[in-house]
Amino acid sequence: MRHIISILMENEPGALSRVVGLFSQRNFNIESLNVAPTEDETLSRLTVTTVGDDRVIEQITKHLNKLIDVVKLVDLTEGNHIERELMLVKVKALGTQRDEVKRTADIFRAQVVDVTPSVYTVQITGDAGKLDAFLQAMAAIGVLEVARTGVSGISRGDKVLGL
Amino acid sequence: MELLSGADMIARFLKDEGVEYIYGYPGGAALHIYDALFRQDDVKHILVRHEQAATHAADGYARASGKPGTVLVTSGPGATNAVTGIATAYMDSIPMVVLCGQVASHLIGEDAFQETDIIGVTRPIVKHSFSIRHPSEIPMVLKKAYYLAASGRPGPVVVDIPKDMTAPTERYEYVYPKKVKLRSYNPVTRGHTGQIKKAVELMLKARRPVFYTGGGVITGNACEGLADLVQRLGYPITTTLMGIGAYPQSDRQSLGWLGMHGSYESNMAMHHADLIVAIGARFDDRVTNNTSKFCPTAKIVHVDIDPSSISKTVRADVPIVGPAGSVINEMISLVQGREPANPEALAEWWEKIDGWREERRGKLYEPAEASEPLKPQQVIETVCRLTRGEAFVTTDVGQHQMFAAQYYKFDKPHRFITSGGLGTMGFGFPAAMGIKQSYPDDDVVCITGEGSFQMMMQELSTCKQFGIGVKIVNLNNGSLGMVRQWQDLNYKSRHAHSYMESLPDFQKLIEAYGFTAIKVERHEDLEPALERAFADKTELVFLDIYVDPREHVYPMQVPLGAMRDMLLSKTERT
């Protein structure tokens, strides 16, 4: 099953490599990974999506917790949560394609953020499924380049991942 | 308030931390630190002949004393040479701090002379690592390093120190940090009481219980409590290789150690148990054999300080995260005044176990005729007898290691010192050095083989320089015995590179360093040679003992089988 694990860790050099290294060292799987500082500049938040059965996920969270740089973590998929990913896509946009791209973008509530005579750059946010669907819809027109951030997530309600 | 250079801070900190010995080897990036060590007398530096030996010596010291070992090496090759020893300590959860010189900060990343990203290289084999970024950080970073190394589940910590951090001209305020706090690191101090109660109920109701305890009991200073608990209940106990000595092996309740080459009775008892109480052990593959066939009728209580060890390979029915000592004490107080509920079943259980014991009594190996080569087993038995079972015994890796574990009987913890997890050849001799330094009045014996010994034999020179009187028992069978055994069993005796041609004349070699070596080939020479060797505790003596190269280590678990599936000799199996 797919899990989204959100990790608060020390904003220190080398902390990220310890997390990533752990996954390769112990043969765990990373589907996507995204990391940035938080409102507290001493902390980074890292979100990793991974796949595994309960035993594997238990080992992943235990080993992550063991890393000295990891302060706290939560498996978002254990409860209600919001997950989002941002994607920038360059698509071919010539002649009638220009309308077609714009229409499809509107349907997905995506925005065209850059325009040239032959190319549109579209920005879209949503869960991974929505982004995949958009890419599929664009495939026939011609996708030139894709940049995805990987999943970021947060739990619903009052629950907070903090110190 | 005192202003010190980074290098002087390191020397002072080590003194304030109570470090007695550093094992190390100098080089460019560590020279400021070496100069600071030169100008003080509190911390003794032992100059090894190869950095791997420094880590093994510090490791041996840590295993014997329970205190963290300290290593100092230079950047690049100095640090990479230490890697095997760091990995060895990591696998066996040994507290160790490794200080590595590094090229100056402004050169990092430029492929400077003797530059290696040692933090990157060692990342998977350390508990944690630090890079010094300002000299003023040194006292606190070192404090954290020692705290992390020794607390919780111990392990090695690497501190990378760029040369400019130790420059003699840059001085900063030095205060020894008495306390350290890390917001992301809070090792548990006690187990969950509800879980412990549940475990104790299972223990009292058990019909065929076995205690299975590991190195964690020794590391956690919980041996006395363990003996108390085990004796109150009257249950059998088996230990892992790393847990040898946690419970007196001469006691009736001890079944010896378990696993691949463990005793017949301990593997049989584990397989047939209805309750396994694992404490400070990690269900390693050399213990469990095939996990899908592991102890089919047993419920499992698993106590460990490291949550990631629990249910890693074998699912625990009652997991308890906590230090062995406090959990055992809580168990004792819950057991107090109560009796096991099934005394008849337990009596039957013991009958069964005693039956297994009887089955193998006197059949463990075939004694050699006087005209035949000595058996390695009989050599170990003689060493055990002549040292009254009280020596510190270190080993390398292979057949001799298993024979030492099987035939030397340990009643005390911290005495059997072996590379259990990583299985590092070359470990034994430097580890013995590290122990002998701190225990000069004890017998420290390195049981080794001619293959392993040659991996670290340059340390004879260190022993010469520092007057380290260890005894080396070289079980010389002219081949890599364990490799050869596997080749006999699995490769139709095709002995691919498991022979040792052109062995040195060990006697001349040892004499070249100014030590005594005794060659033993005949049965009647064995005891006098050992007596001679152990006569003087200050003298290094090397015993080159020729043993039967055809000998195999038994019992030996059958691959992919259950714990009870064992070869018992070249012709018998369970």
Side-chain angles (χ1 to χ4, degrees):
Chain A
M1 207 191 120
R2 176 172 168 271
H3 288 253
I4 304 171
I5 299 169
S6 241
I7 303 162
L8 281 183
M9 60 183 198
E10 300 288 354
N11 189 5
E12 293 273 339
L16 177 61
S17 73
R18 287 180 214 275
V19 172
V20 175
L22 173 69
F23 277 78
S24 60
Q25 177 191 347
R26 297 207 177 255
N27 213 6
F28 302 144
N29 169 320
I30 297 183
E31 292 226 315
S32 81
L33 176 134
N34 128 348
V35 60
T38 65
E39 80 287 0
D40 175 347
E41 65 183 19
T42 67
L43 289 173
S44 294
R45 182 166 177 139
L46 183 148
T47 308
V48 58
T49 52
T50 181
V51 175
D53 59 22
D54 289 351
R55 196 190 66 83
V56 170
I57 299 298
E58 183 183 326
Q59 280 294 310
I60 291 176
T61 53
K62 281 172 165 179
H63 280 289
L64 283 169
N65 264 317
K66 229 173 111 175
L67 293 176
I68 309 296
D69 285 332
V70 168
V71 182
K72 251 184 190 175
L73 65 83
V74 61
D75 180 352
L76 289 173
T77 27
E78 274 182 355
N80 283 329
H81 65 280
I82 299 155
E83 68 171 275
R84 289 290 180 271
E85 190 175 349
L86 184 141
M87 175 168 71
L88 298 168
V89 194
K90 277 189 182 174
V91 284
K92 253 200 276 180
L94 289 165
T96 55
Q97 286 172 334
R98 292 179 87 82
D99 279 350
E100 178 64 15
V101 171
K102 183 68 176 78
R103 262 198 308 276
T104 313
D106 287 344
I107 292 168
F108 280 86
R109 282 194 268 170
Q111 296 112 36
V112 176
V113 291
D114 192 41
V115 178
T116 74
S118 58
V119 170
Y120 274 175
T121 302
V122 183
Q123 168 190 308
I124 175 169
T125 56
D127 62 20
K130 178 181 166 184
L131 270 51
D132 290 342
F134 182 72
L135 282 179
Q136 227 169 3
M138 285 289 139
I141 301 171
V143 173
L144 299 171
E145 186 180 352
V146 174
R148 294 173 76 147
T149 57
V151 173
S152 184
I154 204 160
S155 60
R156 283 194 185 276
D158 297 338
K159 256 194 295 177
V160 167
L161 177 64
L163 286 182
Chain B
M1 194 175 302
E2 222 177 333
L3 295 180
L4 295 178
S5 73
D8 285 323
M9 280 192 205
I10 292 170
R12 175 66 74 79
F13 176 89
L14 294 174
K15 176 196 170 202
D16 292 346
E17 184 67 18
V19 172
E20 301 164 272
Y21 295 102
I22 309 177
Y23 299 89
Y25 204 100
L31 283 182
H32 294 325
I33 306 172
Y34 271 90
D35 190 57
L37 290 174
F38 187 82
R39 288 180 277 103
Q40 57 88 51
D41 292 318
D42 301 300
V43 188
K44 288 191 201 74
H45 180 275
I46 311 298
L47 176 71
V48 294
R49 298 302 185 263
H50 185 290
E51 289 86 350
Q52 183 182 338
T55 51
H56 292 329
D59 181 323
Y61 165 84
R63 289 180 203 235
S65 69
K67 291 183 262 183
T70 304
V71 175
L72 172 59
V73 295
T74 191
S75 64
T80 55
N81 274 350
V83 167
T84 300
I86 298 171
T88 304
Y90 180 73
M91 286 292 270
D92 288 343
S93 307
I94 305 304
M96 181 190 291
V97 174
V98 182
L99 309 173
C100 296
Q102 181 56 281
V103 299
S105 313
H106 70 276
L107 292 172
I108 290 178
E110 296 185 358
D111 301 321
F113 178 64
Q114 294 194 328
E115 181 191 355
T116 299
D117 171 16
I118 199 62
I119 297 283
V121 169
T122 58
R123 200 203 60 236
I125 51 165
V126 294
K127 185 168 172 186
H128 196 56
S129 45
F130 294 97
S131 217
I132 303 280
R133 278 166 294 164
H134 193 274
S136 63
E137 291 177 356
I138 287 174
M140 191 40 103
V141 167
L142 292 183
K143 186 73 194 172
K144 284 180 182 170
Y146 277 89
Y147 170 61
L148 285 171
S151 59
R153 179 178 181 177
V157 176
V158 165
V159 184
D160 198 34
I161 311 169
K163 190 168 185 182
D164 48 326
M165 299 297 121
T166 53
T169 47
E170 305 256 328
R171 289 160 184 276
Y172 295 89
E173 188 186 326
Y174 171 84
V175 181
Y176 174 71
K178 288 209 173 65
K179 272 193 184 153
V180 59
K181 212 178 136 33
L182 287 143
R183 63 179 170 184
S184 60
Y185 176 76
N186 298 295
V188 283
T189 52
R190 52 188 307 242
H192 187 279
T193 303
Q195 290 292 89
I196 297 175
K197 276 189 184 147
K198 234 193 259 178
V200 166
E201 290 314 311
L202 283 179
M203 284 154 71
L204 289 169
K205 269 190 237 136
R207 305 172 72 88
R208 299 184 311 279
V210 183
F211 278 94
Y212 146 52
T213 65
V217 173
I218 298 173
T219 314
N221 286 320
C223 301
E224 275 176 38
L226 176 73
D228 185 352
L229 179 66
V230 169
Q231 280 160 13
R232 268 169 205 269
L233 290 165
Y235 294 171
I237 173 170
T238 176
T239 75
T240 65
L241 191 73
M242 292 300 299
I244 285 178
Y247 188 89
Q249 288 190 319
S250 58
D251 188 80
R252 192 186 87 90
Q253 283 171 251
S254 167
L255 308 184
W257 54 281
L258 81 173
M260 177 161 260
H261 295 294
S263 73
Y264 174 70
E265 54 266 35
S266 63
N267 287 346
M268 292 303 271
M270 285 289 284
H271 184 83
H272 291 92
D274 74 341
L275 178 71
I276 287 164
V277 183
I279 310 178
R282 60 185 178 91
F283 294 84
D284 163 74
D285 59 290
R286 281 293 185 275
V287 162
T288 60
N289 208 3
N290 185 347
T291 48
S292 67
K293 295 181 184 166
F294 178 72
C295 303
T297 52
K299 279 211 178 318
I300 291 169
V301 171
H302 190 181
V303 181
D304 205 290
I305 198 162
D306 177 1
S308 71
S309 275
I310 295 177
S311 298
K312 183 172 70 181
T313 60
V314 171
R315 181 145 287 277
D317 296 291
V318 183
I320 301 171
V321 179
S326 88
V327 173
I328 287 172
N329 288 341
E330 219 168 317
M331 284 177 167
I332 291 171
S333 64
L334 289 168
V335 163
Q336 218 145 26
R338 300 181 64 187
E339 296 289 332
N342 300 301
E344 297 87 17
L346 290 169
E348 261 175 55
W349 180 226
W350 269 114
E351 251 174 61
K352 219 166 179 182
I353 289 171
D354 287 336
W356 288 321
R357 266 184 183 152
E358 263 333 290
E359 258 180 73
R360 298 307 302 161
R361 195 179 298 282
K363 294 190 202 159
L364 295 177
Y365 69 95
E366 214 153 300
E369 302 284 333
S371 58
E372 292 173 338
L374 283 155
K375 296 279 177 156
Q377 298 95 325
Q378 82 185 89
V379 176
I380 306 290
E381 283 179 325
T382 315
V383 172
C384 181
R385 182 159 47 80
L386 294 183
T387 54
R388 297 164 308 282
E390 287 176 351
F392 285 97
V393 175
T394 72
T395 77
D396 280 296
V397 171
Q399 284 188 323
H400 72 266
Q401 177 189 30
M402 295 297 108
F403 288 136
Q406 288 177 332
Y407 293 95
Y408 199 105
K409 298 297 172 196
F410 295 89
D411 281 347
K412 289 186 203 161
H414 301 287
R415 297 275 155 159
F416 181 61
I417 311 262
T418 198
S419 167
L422 196 69
T424 308
M425 288 172 73
F427 172 80
F429 179 33
M433 279 178 1
I435 298 164
K436 183 66 183 177
Q437 291 255 282
S438 298
Y439 298 87
D441 302 330
D442 284 87
D443 287 318
V444 181
V445 189
C446 168
I447 293 173
T448 184
E450 80 292 333
S452 287
F453 183 69
Q454 289 186 93
M455 284 207 179
M456 279 285 127
M457 64 183 179
Q458 78 285 343
E459 296 306 315
L460 287 163
S461 176
T462 308
C463 290
K464 184 77 190 161
Q465 183 171 351
F466 295 93
I468 304 172
V470 299
K471 315 297 172 193
I472 301 158
V473 174
N474 186 40
L475 297 180
N476 191 338
N477 59 2
S479 64
L480 303 175
M482 189 57 92
V483 173
R484 184 186 159 113
Q485 175 169 342
W486 281 60
Q487 288 168 337
D488 284 341
L489 294 170
N490 302 326
Y491 300 91
K492 301 196 170 111
S493 296
R494 292 189 299 273
H495 296 145
H497 293 272
S498 58
Y499 61 96
M500 280 275 169
E501 225 152 62
S502 309
L503 281 176
D505 179 333
F506 281 109
Q507 199 153 4
K508 279 189 187 149
L509 178 79
I510 303 298
E511 279 164 9
Y513 283 97
F515 296 122
T516 306
I518 308 169
K519 188 170 174 175
V520 179
E521 284 176 295
R522 296 180 308 173
H523 290 235
E524 62 268 31
D525 294 339
L526 177 63
E527 213 163 307
L530 285 168
E531 274 169 3
R532 159 75 187 79
F534 289 109
D536 180 353
K537 288 202 172 23
T538 62
E539 186 192 6
L540 185 148
V541 180
F542 185 98
L543 294 152
D544 192 17
I545 304 175
Y546 283 72
V547 295
D548 192 340
R550 293 160 307 175
E551 200 60 20
H552 285 180
V553 181
Y554 294 109
M556 179 179 187
Q557 281 177 336
V558 177
L560 303 177
M563 285 205 75
R564 68 168 166 187
D565 299 325
M566 289 170 270
L567 304 174
L568 299 174
S569 70
K570 283 184 182 172
T571 53
E572 303 160 278
R573 67 175 283 175
T574 54

Coordinates of all heavy atoms in Angstrom, one line a residue, chain B residues 401-441:
Chain B
Q401 N 36.9 -19.4 16.0 CA 35.9 -18.5 16.7 C 34.8 -19.4 17.3 O 34.4 -19.3 18.5 CB 35.4 -17.5 15.8 CG 34.3 -16.6 16.4 CD 33.6 -15.7 15.3 OE1 33.5 -16.1 14.1 NE2 33.2 -14.5 15.6
M402 N 34.3 -20.3 16.5 CA 33.2 -21.1 17.0 C 33.7 -22.1 18.0 O 33.0 -22.4 19.0 CB 32.6 -21.9 15.8 CG 31.9 -21.0 14.8 SD 30.5 -20.1 15.5 CE 31.1 -18.4 15.6
F403 N 34.9 -22.7 17.8 CA 35.4 -23.6 18.8 C 35.7 -22.9 20.1 O 35.4 -23.5 21.2 CB 36.8 -24.2 18.3 CG 36.6 -25.2 17.2 CD1 37.4 -25.2 16.0 CD2 35.6 -26.2 17.2 CE1 37.2 -26.2 15.0 CE2 35.4 -27.2 16.2 CZ 36.2 -27.1 15.1
A404 N 36.2 -21.7 20.0 CA 36.4 -20.9 21.3 C 35.1 -20.7 22.0 O 35.0 -20.9 23.2 CB 37.1 -19.6 20.9
A405 N 34.1 -20.4 21.3 CA 32.8 -20.1 21.9 C 32.2 -21.4 22.5 O 31.5 -21.4 23.5 CB 31.8 -19.5 20.9
Q406 N 32.5 -22.5 21.8 CA 31.9 -23.8 22.2 C 32.6 -24.4 23.4 O 32.0 -25.0 24.3 CB 31.9 -24.8 21.1 CG 30.9 -24.5 20.0 CD 31.0 -25.5 18.8 OE1 32.0 -26.0 18.6 NE2 29.9 -25.6 18.1
Y407 N 33.9 -24.3 23.4 CA 34.7 -25.1 24.4 C 35.3 -24.3 25.5 O 35.9 -24.9 26.4 CB 35.7 -26.0 23.6 CG 35.0 -27.0 22.8 CD1 34.7 -26.8 21.4 CD2 34.5 -28.2 23.4 CE1 34.0 -27.7 20.7 CE2 33.8 -29.1 22.6 CZ 33.6 -28.9 21.3 OH 32.9 -29.8 20.6
Y408 N 35.3 -23.0 25.4 CA 35.7 -22.2 26.6 C 34.5 -21.9 27.3 O 33.5 -21.4 26.7 CB 36.4 -20.9 26.1 CG 37.3 -20.3 27.2 CD1 38.7 -20.4 27.2 CD2 36.7 -19.6 28.3 CE1 39.5 -19.9 28.2 CE2 37.5 -19.1 29.3 CZ 38.9 -19.2 29.2 OH 39.6 -18.7 30.2
K409 N 34.4 -22.2 28.6 CA 33.2 -22.0 29.4 C 33.2 -20.7 30.2 O 34.2 -20.5 31.0 CB 32.9 -23.1 30.3 CG 32.7 -24.5 29.6 CD 31.5 -24.4 28.7 CE 31.4 -25.7 27.8 NZ 30.5 -25.5 26.7
F410 N 32.3 -19.8 29.9 CA 32.3 -18.4 30.5 C 31.3 -18.3 31.6 O 30.1 -18.6 31.3 CB 32.1 -17.4 29.4 CG 33.2 -17.3 28.4 CD1 33.1 -18.0 27.3 CD2 34.3 -16.4 28.6 CE1 34.2 -18.0 26.3 CE2 35.3 -16.4 27.7 CZ 35.2 -17.1 26.5
D411 N 31.7 -17.9 32.7 CA 30.7 -17.6 33.8 C 30.5 -16.1 34.0 O 29.7 -15.7 34.8 CB 31.2 -18.3 35.1 CG 30.9 -19.8 35.1 OD1 30.1 -20.2 34.2 OD2 31.4 -20.5 35.9
K412 N 31.3 -15.3 33.3 CA 31.2 -13.9 33.6 C 31.0 -13.1 32.2 O 31.5 -13.6 31.2 CB 32.5 -13.3 34.2 CG 32.7 -13.7 35.6 CD 34.0 -13.0 36.1 CE 34.6 -13.8 37.2 NZ 36.0 -13.4 37.4
P413 N 30.3 -12.0 32.3 CA 30.1 -11.2 31.1 C 31.4 -10.4 30.8 O 32.3 -10.4 31.6 CB 29.0 -10.2 31.5 CG 29.1 -10.1 33.0 CD 29.6 -11.4 33.5
H414 N 31.4 -9.8 29.6 CA 32.5 -9.0 29.1 C 33.8 -9.8 28.9 O 34.8 -9.2 28.7 CB 32.8 -7.8 30.1 CG 31.7 -6.9 30.4 ND1 31.2 -6.0 29.5 CD2 30.9 -6.8 31.5 CE1 30.2 -5.3 30.0 NE2 30.0 -5.8 31.2
R415 N 33.7 -11.1 28.9 CA 35.0 -11.9 28.8 C 35.1 -12.5 27.5 O 36.3 -12.8 27.1 CB 35.0 -13.0 29.9 CG 34.9 -12.5 31.3 CD 36.3 -12.2 31.8 NE 36.3 -11.2 32.9 CZ 37.3 -11.1 33.7 NH1 38.3 -11.8 33.7 NH2 37.2 -10.1 34.7
F416 N 34.0 -12.8 26.8 CA 34.2 -13.4 25.5 C 34.0 -12.2 24.5 O 32.9 -11.6 24.4 CB 33.1 -14.5 25.2 CG 33.3 -15.1 23.9 CD1 34.4 -15.7 23.5 CD2 32.2 -15.0 23.0 CE1 34.5 -16.3 22.2 CE2 32.3 -15.6 21.7 CZ 33.5 -16.2 21.3
I417 N 35.0 -11.9 23.7 CA 35.0 -10.7 22.9 C 35.2 -11.1 21.5 O 36.3 -11.5 21.1 CB 36.2 -9.7 23.4 CG1 36.1 -9.6 24.9 CG2 36.2 -8.5 22.6 CD1 35.5 -8.4 25.5
T418 N 34.1 -11.0 20.7 CA 34.2 -11.5 19.3 C 33.4 -10.6 18.4 O 32.4 -9.9 18.8 CB 33.7 -12.9 19.3 OG1 34.1 -13.6 18.1 CG2 32.2 -13.0 19.4
S419 N 33.8 -10.6 17.1 CA 33.0 -9.8 16.1 C 31.8 -10.7 15.7 O 32.0 -11.6 14.8 CB 33.9 -9.5 15.0 OG 33.1 -9.0 13.9
G420 N 30.7 -10.5 16.3 CA 29.5 -11.3 16.0 C 28.8 -11.0 14.8 O 28.5 -11.8 14.0
G421 N 28.4 -9.7 14.7 CA 27.6 -9.3 13.6 C 28.3 -9.2 12.2 O 27.9 -9.7 11.2
L422 N 29.4 -8.4 12.2 CA 30.1 -8.2 11.0 C 31.0 -9.4 10.6 O 31.2 -9.7 9.4 CB 31.0 -6.9 11.0 CG 31.4 -6.4 9.6 CD1 30.2 -5.9 8.8 CD2 32.5 -5.3 9.8
G423 N 31.5 -10.1 11.6 CA 32.4 -11.2 11.3 C 33.7 -10.8 10.7 O 34.0 -11.2 9.6
T424 N 34.4 -10.0 11.4 CA 35.6 -9.3 10.9 C 36.9 -10.1 11.2 O 37.3 -10.2 12.4 CB 35.8 -7.9 11.5 OG1 34.5 -7.2 11.3 CG2 36.9 -7.2 10.9
M425 N 37.5 -10.7 10.2 CA 38.8 -11.3 10.4 C 39.8 -10.2 10.7 O 39.7 -9.1 10.2 CB 39.2 -12.1 9.2 CG 38.5 -13.4 8.9 SD 38.9 -14.1 7.3 CE 40.5 -14.8 7.6
G426 N 40.7 -10.4 11.6 CA 41.6 -9.4 12.0 C 41.2 -8.7 13.3 O 42.0 -7.9 13.8
F427 N 40.1 -9.0 13.8 CA 39.5 -8.3 15.0 C 40.3 -8.7 16.3 O 40.6 -7.8 17.1 CB 38.0 -8.6 15.1 CG 37.4 -8.1 16.4 CD1 37.0 -6.8 16.5 CD2 37.2 -8.9 17.5 CE1 36.5 -6.3 17.7 CE2 36.6 -8.5 18.6 CZ 36.3 -7.2 18.8
G428 N 40.6 -9.9 16.4 CA 40.9 -10.5 17.7 C 42.2 -9.9 18.3 O 42.2 -9.6 19.5
F429 N 43.3 -9.8 17.5 CA 44.5 -9.4 18.1 C 44.5 -8.0 18.6 O 44.8 -7.7 19.8 CB 45.7 -9.7 17.1 CG 47.0 -9.4 17.5 CD1 47.4 -9.4 18.9 CD2 48.0 -8.9 16.6 CE1 48.7 -9.1 19.3 CE2 49.3 -8.6 17.0 CZ 49.6 -8.7 18.3
P430 N 44.1 -7.0 17.7 CA 44.1 -5.7 18.2 C 43.0 -5.5 19.4 O 43.3 -4.7 20.3 CB 43.7 -4.8 17.0 CG 43.4 -5.7 15.9 CD 43.9 -7.1 16.3
A431 N 41.9 -6.2 19.3 CA 41.0 -6.1 20.4 C 41.6 -6.6 21.7 O 41.4 -5.9 22.8 CB 39.7 -7.0 20.1
A432 N 42.4 -7.7 21.7 CA 43.1 -8.1 22.9 C 44.1 -7.1 23.4 O 44.2 -6.9 24.6 CB 43.8 -9.4 22.5
M433 N 44.7 -6.4 22.5 CA 45.6 -5.3 22.9 C 44.9 -4.2 23.7 O 45.3 -3.8 24.8 CB 46.2 -4.6 21.7 CG 47.3 -5.2 21.0 SD 48.0 -4.4 19.5 CE 47.0 -3.0 19.3
G434 N 43.7 -3.8 23.2 CA 42.9 -2.8 23.8 C 42.5 -3.2 25.2 O 42.4 -2.4 26.1
I435 N 42.2 -4.5 25.4 CA 41.8 -5.0 26.7 C 42.9 -5.1 27.7 O 42.8 -4.7 28.8 CB 41.1 -6.4 26.5 CG1 39.9 -6.3 25.6 CG2 40.7 -7.0 27.9 CD1 39.4 -7.7 25.1
K436 N 44.0 -5.7 27.2 CA 45.2 -5.9 28.1 C 45.7 -4.6 28.7 O 46.1 -4.6 29.9 CB 46.3 -6.6 27.3 CG 47.5 -7.0 28.1 CD 47.2 -8.0 29.1 CE 48.4 -8.3 30.0 NZ 48.1 -9.3 31.0
Q437 N 45.6 -3.5 27.9 CA 46.0 -2.2 28.5 C 45.3 -1.8 29.7 O 45.8 -1.3 30.7 CB 45.8 -1.2 27.4 CG 46.7 -1.3 26.2 CD 47.7 -0.2 26.3 OE1 47.5 0.9 25.9 NE2 48.9 -0.6 26.7
S438 N 44.0 -2.2 29.7 CA 43.1 -1.8 30.9 C 43.1 -2.8 31.9 O 42.6 -2.5 33.0 CB 41.7 -1.4 30.4 OG 41.8 -0.3 29.5
Y439 N 43.4 -4.0 31.6 CA 43.3 -5.2 32.5 C 44.7 -5.9 32.6 O 44.8 -7.0 32.2 CB 42.2 -6.1 32.2 CG 40.8 -5.5 32.2 CD1 40.3 -4.8 31.1 CD2 40.1 -5.5 33.4 CE1 39.1 -4.2 31.2 CE2 38.8 -4.9 33.4 CZ 38.4 -4.2 32.3 OH 37.1 -3.6 32.4
P440 N 45.7 -5.2 33.0 CA 47.1 -5.7 33.0 C 47.3 -7.0 33.8 O 48.1 -7.8 33.5 CB 48.0 -4.6 33.5 CG 47.1 -3.7 34.2 CD 45.7 -3.8 33.6
D441 N 46.4 -7.1 34.9 CA 46.6 -8.3 35.8 C 45.8 -9.5 35.3 O 45.9 -10.5 36.0 CB 46.2 -7.9 37.2 CG 47.0 -6.7 37.7 OD1 48.2 -6.6 37.2 OD2 46.5 -5.9 38.5

